[in-house]
Amino acid sequence: MPQVTGHCVAVRQAVQTTPVPGSRQAKGPLCASPEWLLLGEITVLQPLWDPACPCCPTSRPHRPLKTRPIEGSAHRGLEPWTGLTFMKVHRTEATMENHVTQISREDLEDLREAFNKIDIDNSGYVSDFELQELFREASFSLPGYKVREIMETFIAGDTNKDEKISFEEFVSIYQELKSKEYSETFRKTITRRDGIRSFGGTSGSSSEGTQHSYSDEEKVAFVNWINKALAKDPDCKHLLPMNPANDSLFASVRDGILLCKMINLSQPDTIDERVINTKKLTTFKMTENLVLALNSASAIGCTVVSIDAHDLMAGKPHLVLGLFWQIIKVGLFADIEIRRNEGLISLLEEGESLDHLLSVSPEEMLLRWVNYHLCNAGTQTIRNFSDDIKDSRAYFYLLDQIAPKGEHDYNMSIKIDMSGLNEPNWDQRAELMLRQAARLDCRQFVSPHDVTSGNSKLNMAFRRQTNGNFMESEIAEGVLQSESKEEKTFRNWINSLDVSPNVNHLYWDLCDGLVILQLYEKVNVPVNWKKVNKPPYPVLGANMKKLENCNYAVELGRTEAHFSLVGIGGENLNEGSPMHTLALVWQLMRRYTVLVLSDLGDGERVGDQIILNWVNSTLNNKRKDTQISSFKDKLISTSLPVIDLIDAIAPGAVKWEMVKRGDRGMLSDADKLNNAKYAVSVARKIGARVYALPDDLVEVNPKMVLTMFACLMGHGLKKANR
């Protein structure tokens, strides 16, 4: 490369002597053309504007950039506004060789700021854990397949394979993402990361450099919420109140009691509290509590596939906060379901079908609810729970709309003071708004800083709190059929497996086949993803693409999984037929459940009779008199066969004073339900991943009863082989 001097003409000559094939380089002086970068294994130049040069427009702003000369270059003696920015950018993909891409100085500065926000530990590189944290946040707004594609681009952009991304590689990767129209979403994902803490793990792999991070703001919010919610629980008095200023939250989960209580707070009666160990807590008893909490969290739809009792006992911050958020979220959004709150039908948009509204996620439903009230207030609506709420304007108008107006005898009128809208300082305005929220008893989760920084997770929880306190049904109830227990069990099982997107409506959310295909992979049925159509689907022919996925799902079920799918076609799944969808999902769940029986062969070859024979032989070997003839045996309604089986495979786990035997084997309905609750919780406590509900035992639902015994069989075989 020719020597570069301090004058613009010399720069022009230098660049003109190194043409790039296929480039979009403008003719004439380089300094008169837009700023640009050369990408590939070549030098990247960022010309600035020289006001002294006759060919440079004098109207351009002159902002100096930090320069880093390439070794051996003649970059010296240049004024800040006439200097060149030199840096190495390696090839990301073969398609980017000898390619010229335009990028402005402003974009470069923005990218540097974005890079610094992702670079939590300030190492100068973005490592794998920092990318994982970024994409974990992105998954709230990005479909799983997009996150995977972006991650693949980053992996490809790591040209020297050192498992970390330099800023130069970051710029190249951003340009590649831009070509795929992901860059805008990607940049929005890099929100303010103030208060993010980085720490090393304590596992063996952590000593080799594994890093994780967590948000101080979320920790403080969760501590305050838990302190209030469980303040009167006598079993938690040794833990509460926790101090939000320290790490007491992470230590509080060690004995498992707090987690079990939080799960019951979120979904009442999930755990029979008679099963929780609360006294003389040895390490073994604390581990039992944690196993009970994890299996119960999975049963209500939380994803716990990457967490075990040892992680929680060690108080790993990112895992503790992640699990707490999932549990809190399940409880917060439980009522944002049309079948449980038919007043939400008023949120139907013009031309929208009721079936589609049924499938809308709780987050989107909450956003619609907020905008419904903002429209009634005659003010601007919002698009998200981050940037659009930073000025507290939407909050003020929402509180004014939902505040009691004294129209009924049982409530008094509360007038919201709207004068805070005139406060120019956003932090002070947020504090004034939260004072008004406190008058409605819904000041939870957020601080003024959480509002002004746009913490979407905490602001969404705060909005849900206001929604929960003041949502009234506006139409007659009984219009919709509620979700059956079987449908709910299937939905929670699917969501616990970390599929994307989350399933809110069992039939509608499975009608494009993507979730079903993910479930196939969970049960060891290989999926050729090259055959799968992924969103966004084209405007014309979108349903045809979904139908092709459903046809492929049925084909896999017949040819690879060997399911019984007589009379079931892709069109049935695509149309959301309950009967046909349940038939396929049940067989997927059954295969998932019996996969743990590895000693007996692959899942599809384990018949019901094998499981039944094992149950009866195990009971007989332990001299139990509660053997069953089938999974429809009426004796199962007492739960005594289940409880006896648990005692047979885990002696000492059952507290017999808690079990009702009845007079001559006859039990009341209340005693049957108490036994069933106890049986399900003890099964989860000893380590069986049980999704069946107590009602399934009382009503002798043969499908769920089968999964119950299969889980216990898997646990028993695993324990026997140790």
Side-chain angles (χ1 to χ4, degrees):
M1 183 175 183
Q3 184 173 359
V4 179
T5 67
H7 195 269
C8 183
V9 175
V11 173
R12 179 182 69 236
Q13 292 173 345
V15 175
Q16 288 177 337
T17 58
T18 57
V20 178
S23 72
R24 295 175 294 181
Q25 179 177 338
K27 295 181 179 180
L30 173 66
C31 54
S33 63
E35 297 94 340
W36 54 282
L37 287 174
L38 299 177
L39 296 183
E41 288 186 343
I42 54 178
T43 302
V44 175
L45 299 114
Q46 174 72 33
L48 301 185
W49 299 82
D50 183 0
C53 178
C55 61
C56 288
T58 57
S59 60
R60 295 288 296 184
H62 306 122
R63 290 194 297 166
L65 291 179
K66 295 180 180 179
T67 60
R68 183 163 62 82
I70 293 176
E71 184 179 355
S73 73
H75 177 59
R76 61 181 184 274
L78 303 182
E79 295 297 326
W81 54 84
T82 59
L84 297 177
T85 298
F86 295 98
M87 58 185 172
K88 288 280 190 181
V89 175
H90 302 287
R91 181 189 296 115
T92 58
E93 293 182 356
T95 56
M96 297 185 67
E97 289 185 36
N98 299 328
H99 181 67
V100 178
T101 307
Q102 293 189 359
I103 186 170
S104 67
R105 288 177 300 181
E106 289 77 7
D107 276 348
L108 265 184
E109 293 174 352
D110 289 344
L111 287 175
R112 170 57 76 178
E113 182 180 359
F115 181 84
N116 291 337
K117 288 179 179 179
I118 305 173
D119 181 18
I120 301 172
D121 58 4
N122 298 318
S123 64
Y125 295 91
V126 173
S127 57
D128 58 348
F129 93 90
E130 290 165 335
L131 283 179
Q132 291 166 7
E133 289 296 315
L134 179 68
F135 293 132
R136 181 177 61 81
E137 293 184 9
S139 64
F140 289 110
S141 57
L142 282 178
Y145 78 94
K146 280 193 177 182
V147 174
R148 288 193 294 270
E149 289 186 12
I150 292 176
M151 180 67 85
E152 288 170 1
T153 304
F154 267 85
I155 294 173
D158 182 16
T159 53
N160 56 2
K161 305 305 177 186
D162 59 357
E163 298 186 353
K164 54 187 179 182
I165 305 295
S166 66
F167 177 64
E168 290 78 6
E169 290 171 328
F170 183 79
V171 173
S172 296
I173 294 164
Y174 172 76
Q175 290 297 103
E176 176 68 6
L177 291 175
K178 189 173 183 179
S179 69
K180 294 181 178 179
E181 299 180 351
Y182 293 156
S183 59
E184 190 61 28
T185 304
F186 176 70
R187 291 175 67 177
K188 287 181 179 179
T189 301
I190 309 171
T191 54
R192 288 188 56 173
R193 299 180 66 84
D194 301 339
I196 300 294
R197 293 198 179 189
S198 175
F199 64 95
T202 56
S203 64
S205 59
S206 298
S207 62
E208 298 173 4
T210 300
Q211 294 282 316
H212 303 285
S213 65
Y214 68 91
S215 165
D216 263 334
E217 296 170 344
E218 292 173 14
K219 181 196 72 174
V220 171
F222 294 168
V223 166
N224 290 335
W225 191 80
I226 294 170
N227 282 342
K228 181 178 179 180
L230 297 176
K232 297 180 181 180
D233 193 311
D235 293 331
C236 296
K237 62 183 180 181
H238 66 294
L239 300 171
L240 304 180
M242 294 178 286
N243 184 353
N246 60 28
D247 292 339
S248 57
L249 174 65
F250 309 127
S252 70
V253 301
R254 176 177 169 78
D255 62 17
I257 296 175
L258 188 67
L259 276 175
C260 290
K261 296 288 185 175
M262 285 292 296
I263 289 170
N264 273 354
L265 193 66
S266 178
Q267 291 285 284
D269 293 328
T270 298
I271 297 175
D272 186 336
E273 297 198 1
R274 295 176 295 173
V275 177
I276 304 174
N277 300 320
T278 57
K279 298 177 181 178
K280 298 180 180 179
L281 294 175
T282 63
T283 300
F284 176 75
K285 288 187 175 183
M286 290 190 290
T287 301
E288 281 189 325
N289 284 345
L290 291 171
V291 171
L292 170 62
L294 286 171
N295 286 333
S296 300
S298 180
I300 65 174
C302 298
T303 302
V304 297
V305 291
S306 59
I307 311 173
D308 61 25
H310 299 294
D311 294 324
L312 296 178
M313 192 169 286
K316 295 182 179 180
H318 66 298
L319 296 178
V320 172
L321 285 181
L323 182 56
F324 267 130
W325 169 242
Q326 287 191 79
I327 294 170
I328 291 172
K329 185 179 176 183
V330 167
L332 284 175
F333 295 128
D335 290 330
I336 304 185
E337 180 187 335
I338 295 180
R339 290 187 178 95
R340 300 180 64 173
N341 196 318
E342 295 183 358
L344 292 172
I345 291 180
S346 59
L347 303 181
L348 265 172
E349 296 178 350
E350 185 176 355
E352 183 180 27
S353 68
L354 182 57
D355 281 340
H356 182 266
L357 186 64
L358 286 170
S359 71
V360 168
S361 69
E363 294 89 342
E364 184 180 342
M365 191 71 75
L366 182 59
L367 186 63
R368 288 193 187 195
W369 178 82
V370 170
N371 284 332
Y372 172 82
H373 286 292
L374 294 181
C375 286
N376 288 342
T379 188
Q380 183 179 353
T381 58
I382 62 173
R383 295 168 297 176
N384 53 61
F385 292 116
S386 51
D387 290 344
D388 287 2
I389 53 84
K390 289 181 178 180
D391 61 0
S392 299
R393 175 196 58 81
Y395 279 142
F396 269 110
Y397 285 107
L398 176 62
L399 293 172
D400 185 56
Q401 285 290 305
I402 66 176
K405 302 298 189 291
E407 299 170 353
H408 305 285
D409 294 337
Y410 56 81
N411 64 27
M412 58 181 293
S413 175
I414 299 179
K415 178 67 175 177
I416 299 298
D417 183 358
M418 304 288 284
S419 62
L421 286 170
N422 299 322
E423 170 57 53
N425 183 284
W426 281 10
D427 285 316
Q428 295 180 18
R429 185 190 300 177
E431 172 59 32
L432 294 173
M433 178 274 297
L434 290 174
R435 291 178 186 176
Q436 298 304 308
R439 297 175 62 202
L440 304 183
D441 194 28
C442 57
R443 178 172 180 163
Q444 288 290 320
F445 290 107
V446 293
S447 67
H449 177 70
D450 296 330
V451 176
T452 58
S453 66
N455 187 313
S456 60
K457 186 183 296 183
L458 298 182
N459 278 283
M460 184 168 57
F462 173 63
R463 289 292 178 100
R464 172 63 189 100
Q465 196 78 3
T466 60
N467 168 280
N469 288 353
F470 299 98
M471 183 189 295
E472 296 182 359
S473 179
E474 301 173 17
I475 64 173
E477 295 188 0
V479 175
L480 299 172
Q481 183 179 359
S482 61
E483 182 182 40
S484 71
K485 294 170 185 174
E486 185 178 52
E487 291 169 343
K488 183 177 181 179
T489 299
F490 285 150
R491 184 169 56 82
N492 285 339
W493 168 68
I494 292 171
N495 287 330
S496 73
L497 299 182
D498 197 23
V499 299
S500 179
N502 198 70
V503 176
N504 303 297
H505 185 273
L506 186 61
Y507 309 118
W508 184 276
D509 289 346
L510 271 57
C511 70
D512 66 354
L514 289 180
V515 169
I516 294 176
L517 293 170
Q518 292 175 66
L519 293 177
Y520 275 123
E521 286 196 323
K522 302 294 183 182
V523 298
N524 296 343
V525 174
V527 176
N528 183 355
W529 288 100
K530 293 181 179 179
K531 291 185 176 182
V532 180
N533 302 310
K534 301 174 184 177
Y537 301 109
V539 177
L540 297 176
N543 196 59
M544 181 59 66
K545 296 294 184 182
K546 297 178 182 179
L547 179 58
E548 289 174 357
N549 289 346
C550 292
N551 288 334
Y552 181 45
V554 173
E555 176 191 339
L556 282 178
R558 290 195 177 115
T559 61
E560 298 293 335
H562 307 297
F563 290 162
S564 175
L565 300 176
V566 178
I568 299 179
E571 65 276 8
N572 302 125
L573 304 179
N574 182 245
E575 293 167 359
S577 167
M579 179 179 69
H580 299 96
T581 303
L582 286 175
L584 175 56
V585 172
W586 156 242
Q587 292 183 76
L588 283 164
M589 185 177 187
R590 183 190 180 283
R591 181 182 172 102
Y592 175 83
T593 303
V594 300
L595 273 180
V596 297
L597 311 178
S598 56
D599 288 347
L600 299 177
D602 294 333
E604 67 270 20
R605 293 200 294 269
V606 179
D608 296 2
Q609 193 62 44
I610 293 176
I611 299 173
L612 183 64
N613 291 343
W614 179 88
V615 170
N616 284 328
S617 64
T618 303
L619 290 172
N620 184 59
N621 291 339
K622 296 296 182 179
R623 298 181 180 179
K624 305 290 185 179
D625 60 359
T626 50
Q627 298 181 34
I628 56 177
S629 60
S630 71
F631 296 121
K632 298 179 181 179
D633 196 314
K634 294 301 181 183
L635 183 61
I636 296 172
S637 68
T638 66
S639 296
L640 294 177
V642 177
I643 294 173
D644 281 344
L645 184 61
I646 292 172
D647 183 61
I649 62 178
V654 176
K655 299 177 183 177
W656 290 107
E657 66 272 17
M658 303 293 181
V659 180
K660 303 293 183 181
R661 287 281 179 180
D663 183 20
R664 297 180 182 178
M666 300 298 292
L667 291 175
S668 67
D669 290 342
D671 286 343
K672 287 181 178 180
L673 184 59
N674 280 332
N675 277 358
K677 290 179 178 178
Y678 186 73
V680 169
S681 289
V682 176
R684 291 170 180 164
K685 182 179 179 179
I686 67 172
R689 185 65 60 85
V690 172
Y691 290 91
L693 301 173
D695 288 338
D696 293 322
L697 296 180
V698 174
E699 298 168 6
V700 194
N701 180 335
K703 291 180 179 178
M704 293 299 110
V705 168
L706 168 63
T707 65
M708 181 86 173
F709 282 118
C711 287
L712 290 172
M713 181 179 176
H715 179 75
L717 291 175
K718 187 183 299 182
K719 186 175 180 180
N721 290 334
R722 287 173 183 169

